[in-house]
């Protein structure tokens, strides 16, 4: 493939694609991995405290504060990404249909209300999921993430061209 052949994507963002992109962002950014481990560690520790107290003294021995912390940490583990995706979906729906062009110069996104162009040196890594391809910034927070839904591609061959183009451009940047 030559660099002068752009890859086009056209899509309207869905909640599932945003959620998948956030999952990738949390998994592949250092701070995202750290936060996930802290929440799991807190839930495991509180679960252990509850089991030990119940085994030693009975169900009534566990204070409501411990139960509340345990339930909050479990809820945060399950719902944090979903709630964030829901919040971002409102913004994405406001923008309308996305028309994305990926070429050697960068990524250009045009919507009904917004036009944005990003050069390749902004992103540090690309991670592919089942439904999306996510480009993530190299900072410790992995703050910047661009989610490209695979269903936005016109043909299956475009997916291969997109992978090649992204790999080549990120390696050069």
């Amino acid at each position: 493939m030559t660099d002068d052949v752009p890859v086009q994507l056209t899509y309207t963002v869905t909640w599932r694609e945003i959620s998948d992109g956030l999952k990738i962002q949390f998994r592949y950014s250092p701070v995202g991995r750290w936060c996930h481990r802290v929440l799991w560690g807190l839930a495991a520790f509180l679960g252990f405290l509850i089991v030990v107290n119940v085994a030693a003294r009975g169900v009534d021995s566990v204070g409501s504060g411990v139960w509340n912390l345990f339930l909050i940490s479990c809820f945060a583990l399950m719902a944090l990404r979903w709630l964030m995706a829901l919040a971002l979906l409102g913004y994405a729906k406001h923008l309308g249909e996305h028309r994305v062009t990926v070429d050697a110069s960068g990524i250009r996104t045009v919507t009904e209300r917004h036009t944005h162009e990003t050069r390749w040196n902004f992103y540090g890594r690309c991670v592919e999921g089942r439904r999306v391809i996510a480009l993530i910034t190299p900072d410790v927070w992995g703050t910047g993430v661009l989610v490209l839904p695979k269903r936005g591609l016109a043909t299956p061959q475009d997916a291969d061209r997109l992978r090649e183009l992204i790999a080549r451009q990120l390696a050069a940047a």
Side-chain angles (χ1 to χ4, degrees):
M1 182 186 96
T2 61
D3 280 344
D4 58 350
V5 179
V7 177
Q8 304 274 336
L9 294 96
T10 303
Y11 57 89
T12 301
V13 180
T14 66
W15 175 84
R16 173 54 73 192
E17 292 160 349
I18 294 173
S19 180
D20 287 353
L22 290 173
K23 181 179 180 181
I24 289 170
Q25 181 186 28
F26 289 157
R27 185 172 290 159
Y28 289 95
S29 69
V31 171
R33 287 190 304 268
W34 181 83
C35 289
H36 192 71
R37 288 179 189 135
V38 166
L39 282 174
W40 270 111
L42 178 63
F45 177 71
L46 291 172
F48 175 74
L49 284 178
I50 290 170
V51 168
V52 168
N53 274 327
V54 167
R57 300 182 202 149
V59 175
D60 294 338
S61 67
V62 180
S64 64
V66 174
W67 282 111
N68 288 340
L69 279 174
F70 178 71
L71 293 174
I72 288 169
S73 62
C74 289
F75 177 75
L77 280 168
M78 293 184 304
L80 184 64
R81 177 174 41 100
W82 296 342
L83 293 173
M84 287 176 62
L86 190 60
L88 289 171
L89 180 63
Y91 173 69
K93 293 282 187 187
H94 173 72
L95 294 176
E97 182 181 71
H98 290 64
R99 291 173 302 285
V100 179
T101 303
V102 181
D103 59 20
S105 66
I107 301 163
R108 181 173 174 82
T109 305
V110 178
T111 69
E112 296 168 13
R113 293 181 170 85
H114 178 67
T115 300
H116 183 77
E117 188 167 340
T118 307
R119 303 224 178 264
W120 286 108
N121 58 3
F122 183 74
Y123 296 107
R125 108 184 289 170
C126 173
V127 180
E128 185 171 353
R130 190 173 62 187
R131 294 179 194 90
V132 299
I133 295 173
L135 293 164
I136 304 171
T137 56
D139 59 299
V140 71
W141 291 92
T143 306
V145 62
L146 174 66
V147 179
L148 299 172
K150 293 179 185 177
R151 69 176 172 78
L153 296 165
T155 66
Q157 294 81 13
D158 284 345
D160 294 331
R161 290 179 39 226
L162 181 61
R163 283 185 204 100
E164 290 174 22
L165 180 60
I166 290 172
R168 186 171 44 255
Q169 295 302 324
L170 287 181

